[in-house]
Amino acid sequence: MINVPKYNKENRKKHFEQLPKGAYVCKIMNIEEAKSKNGKDMVKVYFDIAEGDFKGFYEKQYKENTNEDKVWSYDATMYLIIPSEGCQPFITERWDTFWANIEDSNNGYVFAGDEKKTRGKVFGGVFRIEQTEANNGNIYDHTRLAYTVIAQDVRDGKITKLPNDKLVGVEGSAEDFVNNVPESSAEDLPWK
């Protein structure tokens, strides 16, 4: 017989459920200013699923995470570069689209630059599978926000075509996005 030390079932590694790709109504949990790895001004938008079968999906994952250094899910964080003079047009378009969708999803709301007033505001989110490759060569699937839409369009089932998945080794891989992601921080979450 093998001499096996006693084990503790409480130490079993937890596996988190993955959000299926699709369109969801999301809500803003917090927004904060940050710097990209390239030194560009940006905002980090932390969000969760607001309605439907997956309501509170990321908050549940956060609460179930027993790691001491737990942070809000990378998969529920959007990074928006703040447009500046001479920036590429897609940066301005993405910024303008996000805020227009927030305003059109929240009756009477107008963004006036106060990010604290955006907490709890909803928007539509269209999600796809994005793969990342770890240093050891393993490839992991994540369900990530591809773009935002008006929340009512999600509720009305108007989002009928989902974006292509972003797969490792396929043109347009995650490398173009990673260059703008800031260093992670270990703030206390969720926000109060």
Side-chain angles (χ1 to χ4, degrees), residues 26-41:
C26 304
K27 74 174 174 180
I28 296 173
M29 303 297 286
N30 195 34
I31 293 182
E32 64 182 27
E33 291 185 56
K35 290 275 188 190
S36 73
K37 287 182 179 179
N38 295 340
K40 295 178 182 172
D41 291 328

Side-chain angles (χ1 to χ4, degrees), residues 30 53 70 77 96 121 128 132 134 136 143 173:
N30 195 34
D53 294 342
K70 68 181 178 177
T77 306
D96 293 346
K121 300 295 184 240
R128 66 178 171 196
T132 56
N136 63 7
T143 307
S173 69

Side-chain angles (χ1 to χ4, degrees), residues 8-10 27 29 32 53 61 67 86 96 118 133-134 138 163 174 177 184 191:
N8 182 347
K9 286 186 179 182
E10 298 302 316
K27 74 174 174 180
M29 303 297 286
E32 64 182 27
D53 294 342
Q61 279 190 350
N67 295 332
D96 293 346
T118 61
E133 186 171 2
N138 290 342
F177 174 78
S184 60
W191 308 269

